[in-house]
Amino acid sequence: MAELHIRKMTQEELGLALSWAAIEGWNPGLHDAKTYFLADPNGFLLAEFDGKAIGCISAIKYSPDFAFIGFYLVKPEFRGQGYGMQLWQAAMSYLSGCNIGLDGVAAQQANYQKSGFQLAYANVRFQGEVGLVNADKPNKLKGAVVPLGTVPLSSLFTYENAFFPADRTAFVQAWVEQDDANALAYVDEGSVQGYGVIRQCQTGYKIAPLFADSLEIARSLIAALTADLPKGAAFFLDVPACHQDAVLFAKGFAMEPVFETARMYTQTQPALPLNRIYGVTSFEIG
């Protein structure tokens, strides 16, 4: 009798899994396989049954203390047979001892709680349309929005460190340098005070992340990130629901909520500056 076999994915196989995610409507970026893989080359698991790939999960161990789980998918014809639970258990075993975060659909909160996860807050995906609202509102900012490539990587990493509970420099460097994307920073007197990345996805574009020290800086960044997109193009932003200014900010760009996740952790909620997070990086890897 055939048995389920769970093993590490290759980067090429991660591309296959992303194609499954696209079918599910998760709308991955065009180059997510290359960038995601750098977060933890050991952290993407593939389930095979009778030699056929049937499911996947990401279990990213950023450090001995912090990890993120997601990208949890079993092909429809293999659901309801316990294979997903075996995948989940393999991922949780790999991440044993870590404080584990995830973004799960709200309907599955009770199941995640059975594995020790507790709700921290919701993240809401907003969708907008380029040109629907004039984003070029005047501001009184003294600094400037510049291509992130003109900013020393050390300055970017120093700024980024406040927004994530573990080091992820290899991933961040690849993320801001990926193809079919634009990465911008807001700099004032040599200091990075915000940055954002917009990348092309299967449908439209995602702004992820969008970190900023003030509402005006966030507004300046989103205006610049969307400035060269085709009029009418869809763009998306994933906003912590507990950051009310960010929610109002998204609505100010005529964006509408289209999806919601539950951010949960197995241990203490990391002390992140949620009041400066206008867009999270990824529901799949944190």
Side-chain angles (χ1 to χ4, degrees):
M1 180 179 294
E3 295 183 356
L4 192 72
H5 176 59
I6 298 173
R7 62 172 176 82
K8 292 188 300 184
M9 284 189 209
T10 65
Q11 183 177 312
E12 291 73 22
E13 288 167 333
L14 180 52
L16 169 66
L18 283 161
S19 71
W20 298 345
I23 293 171
E24 294 292 321
W26 294 3
N27 196 24
L30 299 185
H31 305 286
D32 285 358
K34 180 179 180 180
T35 52
Y36 280 4
F37 197 73
L38 288 175
D40 180 358
N42 297 312
F44 294 91
L45 304 181
L46 186 72
E48 294 177 316
F49 183 78
D50 198 19
K52 298 178 181 178
I54 68 163
C56 60
I57 195 167
S58 60
I60 310 302
K61 186 180 289 187
Y62 286 102
S63 74
D65 302 315
F66 185 76
F68 204 90
I69 201 167
F71 202 32
Y72 184 27
L73 176 63
V74 175
K75 296 181 73 173
E77 62 268 33
F78 292 96
R79 293 173 187 171
Q81 301 176 57
Y83 302 137
M85 179 54 66
Q86 292 182 60
L87 252 179
W88 175 264
Q89 290 171 341
M92 292 294 288
S93 176
Y94 173 60
L95 302 180
S96 178
C98 294
N99 183 16
I100 309 169
L102 65 76
D103 272 302
V105 295
Q108 293 296 322
Q109 282 187 49
N111 287 331
Y112 294 132
Q113 286 174 340
K114 292 176 184 177
S115 294
F117 288 83
Q118 297 298 320
L119 178 66
Y121 51 87
N123 281 317
V124 181
R125 174 160 294 168
F126 283 86
Q127 179 176 347
E129 182 179 312
V130 176
L132 194 60
V133 167
N134 180 9
D136 297 322
K137 296 182 178 180
N139 63 62
K140 299 180 181 178
L141 297 172
K142 297 183 299 179
V145 174
V146 301
L148 199 47
T150 66
V151 175
L153 279 172
S154 58
S155 297
L156 169 64
F157 296 149
T158 298
Y159 186 77
E160 158 76 19
N161 284 344
F163 296 92
F164 202 74
D167 177 75
R168 56 175 182 175
T169 53
F171 162 74
V172 169
Q173 181 171 354
W175 191 253
V176 303
E177 295 176 350
Q178 66 180 292
D179 294 333
D180 298 302
N182 187 21
L184 301 174
Y186 176 84
V187 178
D188 186 10
E189 296 183 352
S191 172
V192 175
Q193 297 178 12
Y195 90 95
V197 178
I198 189 166
R199 75 192 194 281
Q200 190 172 356
C201 296
Q202 298 289 333
T203 299
Y205 303 81
K206 286 182 184 175
I207 298 173
L210 182 61
F211 301 149
D213 291 358
S214 74
L215 184 63
E216 283 300 318
I217 292 173
R219 186 187 304 281
S220 182
L221 282 166
I222 198 172
L225 288 166
T226 58
D228 295 327
L229 299 184
K231 188 172 182 179
F235 68 100
F236 303 87
L237 184 68
D238 299 332
V239 179
C242 56
H243 186 185
Q244 285 300 304
D245 282 347
V247 172
L248 294 174
F249 164 83
K251 292 179 178 179
F253 281 87
M255 304 184 80
E256 298 289 340
V258 294
F259 182 67
E260 183 173 312
T261 70
R263 173 62 63 93
M264 307 179 79
Y265 297 97
T266 54
Q267 299 176 24
T268 304
Q269 177 181 336
L272 302 179
L274 294 173
N275 64 328
R276 294 192 287 149
I277 297 177
Y278 291 83
V280 303
T281 304
S282 168
F283 285 163
E284 287 74 41
I285 66 166

